[in-house]
Amino acid sequence: MAEVKGDRLHIRLHVYDDDIEVTINREDEEYYRAAAKLITDRYNAYAQAYKGRKSDHQISLMALIDIALLYQRERNKNDVAPYDDMFAKLTSEIEDALGESRKK
């Protein structure tokens, strides 16, 4: 169920064994639904492996760490700082070379 208010949307997400109502930007709906599914899937995987041996809180934290790890790996893949540094150095070298050729 979704209630529309301008560019905001009120939706209900099913996360593991709970329904959570949130108000989101309309364009983010698919991301919220995918996030809820990811959380549910990861929690279910850890619950299946550790239910009865670990508390629900610990299982939740394990799922969060797993998701955070995925995020950190993806974030690291998209780190452009090394490329920015390399391009700045190359640009400086090109400008220096062009400056020397103009002097001749």
Side-chain angles (χ1 to χ4, degrees), residues 17-53:
D17 64 351
D18 206 351
D19 288 327
I20 299 171
E21 293 187 19
V22 294
T23 302
I24 61 168
N25 290 325
R26 177 190 300 272
E27 65 269 8
D28 292 336
E29 180 181 9
E30 85 177 82
Y31 298 119
Y32 274 88
R33 296 200 184 279
K37 182 176 180 345
L38 175 63
I39 292 167
T40 300
D41 291 347
R42 296 316 312 145
Y43 189 95
N44 283 335
Y46 282 103
Q48 185 176 10
Y50 295 104
K51 198 70 165 177
R53 295 186 300 167

Side-chain angles (χ1 to χ4, degrees), residues 17-103:
D17 64 351
D18 206 351
D19 288 327
I20 299 171
E21 293 187 19
V22 294
T23 302
I24 61 168
N25 290 325
R26 177 190 300 272
E27 65 269 8
D28 292 336
E29 180 181 9
E30 85 177 82
Y31 298 119
Y32 274 88
R33 296 200 184 279
K37 182 176 180 345
L38 175 63
I39 292 167
T40 300
D41 291 347
R42 296 316 312 145
Y43 189 95
N44 283 335
Y46 282 103
Q48 185 176 10
Y50 295 104
K51 198 70 165 177
R53 295 186 300 167
K54 301 229 181 248
S55 70
D56 288 343
H57 180 73
Q58 287 178 314
I59 291 171
S60 295
L61 292 176
M62 292 168 74
L64 283 172
I65 289 170
D66 193 24
I67 293 166
L69 179 63
L70 291 171
Y71 169 78
Q72 290 297 331
R73 282 181 178 155
E74 193 62 32
R75 184 176 174 210
N76 197 34
K77 284 183 193 175
N78 295 322
D79 182 12
V80 296
Y83 301 108
D84 288 343
D85 294 342
M86 180 182 63
F87 286 130
K89 182 179 177 185
L90 287 172
T91 301
S92 176
E93 289 176 8
I94 291 169
E95 288 173 348
D96 288 347
L98 287 174
E100 288 177 16
S101 68
R102 288 183 186 146
K103 291 178 185 176

